[in-house]
Amino acid sequence: MIVLGLETSCDETSAALVENGQRILSNIVSSQADLHAKYGGVIPEVASRKHVELILPTIQEALSSASIGWQEIGAIAVTNRPGLLGALLVGVSTAKAIALVHSLPVIAVHHHEGHLYSALLTAPQLSDQFPLLVLIVSGGHTMLVKMNDHGDYSLIGRTMDDAAGEAFDKGARLMDLPYPGGPSIGRLSLKGDMKAIHFPRSYMGKTFNFSFSGVKTALRMHLKREPDSSSVEDLAASYQEAIVAMLVNTTQRALEETGCRTLCVVGGVAANTRLRQRMGEMTAETGVELVIPDTKLCTDNGAMIAAAGYYRLMHSGSNPLSFDTFAMQNLEEV
Ligand code: KG4
Ligand code: ZN
């Protein structure tokens, strides 16, 4: 079955076609990053208006680049939570309208469940190799999730303050680097010395929770105290190293505690080269299998929503057209 996946929860308008939850036929992502860059962050109302402009051409491109017609599509999956309400509404109302016109079932997908399925799109054999430990690192969320089965998730740890992506974005703003901050810091870090400045690492005792506000404050204080003492490349590399170390060390402890033999790292920050490298080293030492999707599947995209929607449809059916959108909802409650 071919599922059309729609994603409009933040600043990416995306439409994708995925067959049987595993084979990507097309995955079109229209990013609004340039539009929001001049404000240094996402302006919700601006994002919603842009989604309205982009959603139909993006769907059209997903269909035409895969040479697929409406009669070949079996269902529509759409992100309905969590996210910016106005932005979510664009995807959800479009999905409902198409469902009515073409008499298709529609599945409401939790955005984080979509990120989990970006790992299964990358390594389909995982879909019967549970449990998996998944680190979701995005702009709004950082969490460790034990995926026990399709639709069965346990939250192992989460951030107590900023998300990892937020730490990158806010840190970049302090260093006067362009939005989104993660890619800017990642690029500069390649030319910097990660040992130049030792930024503090915060660990939350025996829990698997994270905290990134301390490292951000340490960067702010460093820039205030010694504004010209380090090159921006060294600052970026040292700051990135502190965030990566916290993610890798806590994830390693969670692997030991849960006994999971497969680790997946998903979400926008999983595109970070240094994080990918350090996770690779850590899992190689411990003999754990590591799955990190291609960078295009790490950041928000419709393919992961289509894949999550397909499995949800197979296991629990579609949603009545009256389903709502929600700014927040825990993944464990899906
Ligand atoms: O998953 P995502 O596309 O959107 C959300 O659901 O939030 O993640 C976006 C986040 C942003 O904070 C961005 O700075 C970060 O992912 N990001 C990166 C990289 N590429 C994107 N962070 C570090 N290094 C990167 N290469
Ligand atoms: Zn996301």
Side-chain angles (χ1 to χ4, degrees):
M1 173 194 280
I2 297 176
V3 176
L4 168 67
L6 300 182
E7 158 61 40
T8 64
S9 67
C10 190
D11 62 344
E12 249 93 38
T13 316
S14 181
L17 295 173
V18 176
E19 193 174 20
N20 297 333
Q22 297 194 342
R23 199 164 78 88
I24 299 175
L25 307 178
S26 62
N27 188 19
I28 309 299
V29 181
S30 309
S31 177
Q32 306 179 6
D34 292 348
L35 177 68
H36 298 284
K38 59 175 179 276
Y39 306 110
V42 179
I43 311 284
E45 183 58 23
V46 174
S48 311
R49 285 165 193 255
K50 200 66 190 171
H51 284 309
V52 172
E53 276 175 39
L54 291 172
I55 188 79
L56 293 180
T58 307
I59 294 173
Q60 208 53 58
E61 198 179 333
L63 291 168
S64 58
S65 73
S67 304
I68 293 289
W70 285 111
Q71 68 288 352
E72 293 166 83
I73 293 175
I76 308 176
V78 61
T79 309
N80 78 321
R81 65 205 192 281
L84 304 171
L85 271 184
L88 288 166
L89 272 171
V90 178
V92 167
S93 11
T94 307
K96 288 181 180 181
I98 297 174
L100 273 173
V101 170
H102 294 286
S103 302
L104 289 170
V106 60
I107 311 115
V109 175
H110 191 290
H111 182 77
H112 301 150
E113 190 172 40
H115 277 301
L116 296 180
Y117 277 85
S118 68
L120 274 74
L121 269 174
T122 305
Q125 73 278 11
L126 296 184
S127 64
D128 54 10
Q129 283 179 23
F130 298 110
L132 313 170
L133 185 70
V134 188
L135 174 68
I136 305 180
V137 267
S138 72
H141 300 271
T142 298
M143 55 184 104
L144 275 165
V145 176
K146 188 162 158 246
M147 193 169 179
N148 305 306
D149 201 342
H150 297 287
D152 178 6
Y153 315 121
S154 315
L155 186 67
I156 305 288
R158 64 186 174 88
T159 181
M160 297 282 104
D161 40 58
D162 291 343
E166 210 174 346
F168 274 105
D169 294 336
K170 289 179 175 171
R173 207 178 314 166
L174 289 170
M175 290 184 256
D176 280 328
L177 301 175
Y179 173 86
S184 306
I185 290 180
R187 261 191 312 275
L188 282 170
S189 296
L190 297 174
K191 291 180 253 153
D193 173 8
M194 65 184 89
K195 296 206 176 101
I197 306 140
H198 184 82
F199 287 115
R201 281 82 161 134
S202 321
Y203 294 104
M204 312 296 287
K206 288 199 162 74
T207 73
F208 304 105
N209 293 328
F210 302 91
S211 168
F212 298 103
S213 63
V215 68
K216 179 191 65 190
T217 306
L219 173 65
R220 182 184 295 122
M221 299 308 288
H222 178 89
L223 288 168
K224 204 167 160 190
R225 259 194 330 261
E226 324 170 32
D228 303 313
S229 69
S230 332
S231 70
V232 70
E233 289 84 1
D234 286 355
L235 267 176
S238 304
Y239 184 71
Q240 170 180 276
E241 195 60 14
I243 297 172
V244 168
M246 288 185 264
L247 290 170
V248 173
N249 292 339
T250 303
T251 303
Q252 181 167 10
R253 281 198 304 111
L255 280 168
E256 286 158 11
E257 173 76 18
T258 58
C260 289
R261 302 302 297 156
T262 305
L263 170 68
C264 309
V265 186
V266 301
V269 180
N272 184 271
T273 308
R274 180 66 181 151
L275 180 64
R276 296 171 88 95
Q277 181 191 5
R278 288 286 297 112
M279 285 294 186
E281 289 164 4
M282 181 269 283
T283 49
E285 275 166 26
T286 50
V288 165
E289 181 189 8
L290 175 67
V291 175
I292 310 184
D294 257 15
T295 53
K296 187 143 192 246
L297 285 179
C298 289
T299 45
D300 291 348
N301 66 87
M304 67 186 194
I305 304 302
Y310 171 82
Y311 284 99
R312 200 147 269 285
L313 182 66
M314 294 299 131
H315 288 92
S316 45
S318 61
N319 291 80
L321 273 186
S322 55
F323 74 84
D324 229 328
T325 50
F326 302 92
M328 289 201 274
Q329 193 201 35
N330 290 335
L331 181 60
E332 277 178 313
E333 292 160 19
V334 301

